[in-house]
C-alpha cells in the first residue's frame, strides 16, 4: 500500500470557448500510478450540450495483472458556480476511467461573465483508499464499495446505481454485512432481469421481481425508479399478451371464477332483498295515507285563506267609515272653537259698555237703569242663544254616535 494521502491541484484552460475536441490535463501520481483529467468542452459521445469531465488512469498497461485502485475524487469548477462533483469508484484494468458526462450545461458556461477572460478553472482532489497490485482478479474476489461487499464483476453495475441514484441506500440500517451483501446481490439481479427485453421475461420472473422489490423496500432501499421500471415491464407484457392472445384463457377462467363467486354472493342477498321490498311496500302504503291527509289539510288551508280574505275586506270597509267619522268630529270641534272665540268677543264688548255706562251713571239714574236693563237683556239673550246653539250641536253629535253604533251592531 503506497501513497494514501489526498492529492489536490488546480489547472486552467485558456480560450475555453474556442476549444472543441478532447483535452487532457495534467499528469499526476497517486496510489502508485499516474492519472490525468479528460475535458470535453462540447460534451463527449454521450451528450453534446454539457461540459464532460473524467478521471483516468494514465498507464494501465504498465500496472501488474489484477491491479485495482479504490479511490474517492472530486472535480470542482472554480468559476462562479463553484460546482463540486464527487464520486467513489474502483479503477481496474477493465475500467480505468470514470467521470461526469453532464458536469455543467453549456448554457451556463455561455452566460455573460461566467468565463472570466475566457478561462475555465478546475480543481482536482483525489484520494486512493485501497491499492491492489498483485495477482489476477478472480470472480470470487470482493471489494467494500460504499459499505457493500461486492464481487469484482459487480463493481461497474453498483457504480452506475450510485451515480444515477446516490440516495438509494440512505435508509438502510442493516449492520450485518452478510445480509447487506445478500440485499445488494438481489438488487443487482433484479436490475439485470428488468433490463431484459419484456418478451423474454417470464411470468414467474415478474412475480419474483415484484416480491424482491417489496423485500428491498422494506429493508430501507429507496427504489421508486425501479418500481416504475417494473410497472413499465408489466404494462408491456400486458400489451403483448393482448396482442397475441396468450394467457387470455387463464384470465378468462379467473374472471369466470370471480363471477361465480359474485353470483353466489348475490343469491345470499335475495332473502334480504325480499324483506327490503316488503318494508318498502309498507312505507309506500304509509306514504299514500300521509299524502291523503296532506291533501285534506291543503283544502282546509284554502278555505281558511278565503275566510281571511273576506275578513280583510270587512276590516277595510270599517276603516273607511272610521276615517269619515273622524273627519266629522274634527269639523265639530272646529265649530265649537269658533263659537268660543265669539263669546270672548262679546264679553269684551260688554266690558266696554260697562265702562261707558259707569261714566254716564252720574248723568241720569233713569238712563243707568235703562242701560242696566239693556245689558241684562243682551246678556241673557246672548247666553240663551249660545246655549241653544250648543244644545243643537250636541244633539247632532249624539245622534251620529248612536246611529253609528247601531249600524255597526246590525252589521255584526
Amino acid at each position: 500500500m503506497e501513497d494514501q494521502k489526498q492529492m489536490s491541484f488546480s489547472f486552467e484552460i485558456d480560450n475555453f470557448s474556442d476549444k472543441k475536441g478532447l483535452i487532457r490535463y495534467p499528469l499526476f501520481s497517486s496510489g502508485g500510478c499516474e492519472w490525468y483529467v479528460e475535458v470535453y468542452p462540447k460534451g463527449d459521445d454521450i451528450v453534446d450540450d454539457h461540459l464532460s469531465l473524467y478521471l483516468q488512469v494514465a498507464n494501465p498497461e504498465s500496472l501488474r495483472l489484477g491491479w485495482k485502485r479504490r479511490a474517492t475524487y472530486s472535480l470542482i469548477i472554480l468559476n462562479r458556480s463553484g460546482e463540486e462533483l464527487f464520486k467513489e469508484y474502483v479503477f481496474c484494468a477493465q475500467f480505468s476511467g470514470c467521470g461526469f458526462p453532464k458536469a455543467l450545461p453549456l448554457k451556463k458556461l455561455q452566460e455573460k461573465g461566467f468565463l472570466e477572460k475566457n478561462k475555465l478553472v478546475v480543481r482536482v482532489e483525489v484520494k486512493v483508499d485501497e491499492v491492489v497490485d498483485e495477482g489476477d482478479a478472480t470472480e470470487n474476489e470482493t471489494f467494500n464499495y460504499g459499505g457493500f461487499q461486492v464481487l469484482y464483476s459487480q463493481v461497474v453495475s453498483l457504480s452506475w446505481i450510485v451515480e444515477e441514484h446516490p440516495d438509494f441506500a440512505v435508509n438502510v440500517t442493516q449492520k450485518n454485512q452478510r445480509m447487506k451483501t445478500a440485499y445488494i446481490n438481489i438488487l443487482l439481479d433484479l436490475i439485470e432481469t428488468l433490463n431484459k427485453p419484456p418478451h423474454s421475461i417470464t411470468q414467474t420472473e415478474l412475480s419474483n421481481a415484484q416480491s424482491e422489490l417489496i423485500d428491498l423496500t422494506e429493508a430501507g432501499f429507496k427504489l421508486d425508479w425501479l418500481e416504475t421500471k417494473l410497472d413499465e415491464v408489466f404494462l408491456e407484457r400486458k400489451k403483448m399478451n393482448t396482442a397475441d392472445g396468450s394467457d387470455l384463457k387463464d384470465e378468462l377462467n379467473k374472471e369466470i371464477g370471480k363471477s361465480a363467486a359474485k353470483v353466489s354472493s348475490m343469491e345470499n342477498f335475495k332473502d334480504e332483498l325480499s324483506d327490503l321490498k316488503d318494508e318498502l311496500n309498507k312505507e309506500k302504503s304509509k306514504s299514500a295515507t300521509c299524502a291523503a291527509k296532506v291533501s285534506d289539510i291543503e283544502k282546509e288551508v284554502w278555505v281558511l285563506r278565503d275566510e281571511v280574505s273576506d275578513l280583510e275586506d270587512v276590516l277595510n270597509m270599517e276603516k273607511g267609515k272610521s276615517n269619515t267619522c273622524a273627519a266629522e268630529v274634527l269639523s265639530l270641534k272646529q265649530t265649537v272653537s269658533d263659537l268660543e272665540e265669539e263669546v270672548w268677543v262679546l264679553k269684551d264688548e260688554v266690558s266696554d259698555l260697562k265702562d261707558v255706562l259707569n261714566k254716564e251713571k252720574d248723568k241720569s239714574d233713569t238712563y243707568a237703569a235703562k242701560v242696566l236693563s239693556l245689558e241684562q237683556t243682551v246678556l241673557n239673550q246672548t247666553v240663551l242663544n249660545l246655549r241653544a246653539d250648543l244644545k243643537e250641536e250636541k244633539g247632532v253629535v249624539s245622534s251620529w254616535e248612536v246611529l253609528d253604533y247601531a249600524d255597526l251592531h246590525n252589521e255584526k
Side-chain angles (χ1 to χ4, degrees):
M1 186 95 50
E2 46 177 298
D3 196 8
Q4 299 297 309
K5 295 181 180 180
Q6 178 172 296
M7 178 70 180
S8 62
F9 63 93
S10 301
F11 65 89
E12 300 177 353
I13 303 177
D14 295 324
N15 301 317
F16 180 80
S17 59
D18 299 329
K19 306 293 184 182
K20 294 182 179 180
L22 169 63
I23 304 172
R24 291 189 174 98
Y25 278 93
L27 283 174
F28 63 95
S29 295
S30 181
C33 63
E34 292 185 327
W35 308 76
Y36 66 89
V37 177
E38 286 186 348
V39 181
Y40 292 86
K42 298 296 187 290
D44 60 5
D45 295 335
I46 300 175
V47 296
D48 59 4
D49 59 352
H50 281 70
L51 167 69
S52 301
L53 298 173
Y54 294 90
L55 180 64
Q56 294 279 355
V57 175
N59 54 347
E61 67 284 347
S62 64
L63 300 175
R64 296 180 182 182
L65 292 176
W67 70 269
K68 286 173 281 294
R69 300 291 187 273
R70 184 167 62 85
T72 55
Y73 66 96
S74 298
L75 301 175
I76 306 168
I77 299 173
L78 295 180
N79 295 68
R80 288 193 311 174
S81 70
E83 186 78 19
E84 179 176 359
L85 309 168
F86 175 83
K87 184 174 289 189
E88 179 183 15
Y89 191 73
V90 176
F91 297 84
C92 58
Q94 288 82 358
F95 308 101
S96 59
C98 181
F100 308 91
K102 295 182 179 181
L104 196 69
L106 295 181
K107 289 183 178 179
K108 188 73 174 178
L109 290 169
Q110 294 165 359
E111 290 180 359
K112 185 177 180 181
F114 187 90
L115 293 175
E116 187 176 353
K117 297 181 180 180
N118 199 16
K119 182 185 298 184
L120 182 71
V121 183
V122 179
R123 179 176 177 81
V124 181
E125 296 179 354
V126 179
K127 182 179 180 182
V128 177
D129 300 311
E130 185 177 2
V131 177
V132 177
D133 279 327
E134 296 180 357
D136 295 332
T138 65
E139 60 180 13
N140 294 324
E141 187 177 358
T142 61
F143 297 92
N144 189 318
Y145 191 98
F148 294 98
Q149 204 72 23
V150 296
L151 296 173
Y152 173 81
S153 59
Q154 297 173 323
V155 170
V156 175
S157 298
L158 186 55
S159 297
W160 175 85
I161 297 175
V162 173
E163 180 177 348
E164 296 295 326
H165 309 283
D167 60 345
F168 83 105
V170 293
N171 295 329
V172 176
T173 58
Q174 179 60 250
K175 301 298 183 182
N176 188 295
Q177 189 60 53
R178 288 187 178 182
M179 290 295 296
K180 292 178 68 175
T181 299
Y183 281 136
I184 208 65
N185 287 334
I186 292 173
L187 175 59
L188 294 174
D189 290 342
L190 178 58
I191 293 173
E192 183 179 357
T193 298
L194 296 181
N195 282 336
K196 294 194 301 184
H199 63 83
S200 66
I201 303 176
T202 66
Q203 188 64 37
T204 301
E205 286 178 324
L206 276 179
S207 298
N208 292 339
Q210 192 169 27
S211 299
E212 290 169 354
L213 187 56
I214 292 173
D215 292 340
L216 291 171
T217 302
E218 290 177 350
F221 289 91
K222 295 177 64 176
L223 302 174
D224 295 346
W225 49 279
L226 207 53
E227 289 179 8
T228 302
K229 177 67 175 177
L230 182 60
D231 291 340
E232 292 173 354
V233 173
F234 267 116
L235 182 61
E236 189 64 27
R237 286 272 303 179
K238 187 175 181 180
K239 290 180 180 178
M240 293 170 58
N241 291 338
T242 302
D244 59 18
S246 62
D247 297 333
L248 285 179
K249 288 184 178 180
D250 292 339
E251 293 182 6
L252 183 59
N253 290 332
K254 290 180 181 179
E255 291 299 325
I256 291 173
K258 291 179 181 178
S259 299
K262 289 181 180 178
V263 169
S264 177
S265 177
M266 290 297 293
E267 289 178 352
N268 293 332
F269 287 114
K270 280 185 178 180
D271 294 337
E272 294 182 12
L273 182 60
S274 178
D275 294 339
L276 289 174
K277 285 182 178 179
D278 293 339
E279 291 182 8
L280 180 61
N281 291 331
K282 291 179 181 179
E283 292 298 327
K284 285 183 178 179
S285 178
K286 291 180 180 179
S287 298
T289 303
C290 292
K293 291 182 179 180
V294 170
S295 178
D296 294 339
I297 292 173
E298 288 179 345
K299 291 178 181 179
E300 292 179 2
V301 169
W302 282 110
V303 171
L304 290 174
R305 284 180 177 175
D306 292 338
E307 292 180 358
V308 169
S309 179
D310 294 340
L311 290 173
E312 288 178 347
D313 293 340
V314 172
L315 180 61
N316 289 331
M317 292 175 61
E318 293 299 327
K319 284 182 178 179
K321 290 181 180 180
S322 298
N323 292 335
T324 302
C325 294
E328 292 179 356
V329 170
L330 289 174
S331 177
L332 289 173
K333 286 182 178 181
Q334 185 63 42
T335 301
V336 171
S337 176
D338 294 342
L339 291 173
E340 288 177 347
E341 289 181 357
E342 290 181 4
V343 169
W344 283 109
V345 170
L346 289 174
K347 286 183 177 180
D348 290 338
E349 291 177 355
V350 169
S351 177
D352 293 339
L353 288 174
K354 283 182 178 182
D355 293 338
V356 173
L357 288 175
N358 289 330
K359 291 179 180 179
E360 297 296 329
K361 187 176 182 179
D362 294 336
K363 293 181 179 181
S364 174
D365 293 333
T366 304
Y367 182 74
K370 289 181 179 181
V371 170
L372 288 173
S373 176
L374 179 60
E375 177 183 352
Q376 186 65 37
T377 301
V378 172
L379 181 59
N380 290 337
Q381 187 61 42
T382 300
V383 171
L384 289 174
N385 290 337
L386 287 173
R387 286 179 178 176
D389 290 338
L390 288 173
K391 286 181 179 181
E392 184 179 354
E393 293 296 334
K394 286 183 179 180
V396 172
V397 173
S398 298
S399 299
W400 171 80
E401 289 177 349
V402 172
L403 178 60
D404 189 66
Y405 178 79
D407 290 341
L408 287 175
H409 181 71
N410 291 332
E411 287 180 3
K412 290 181 179 179

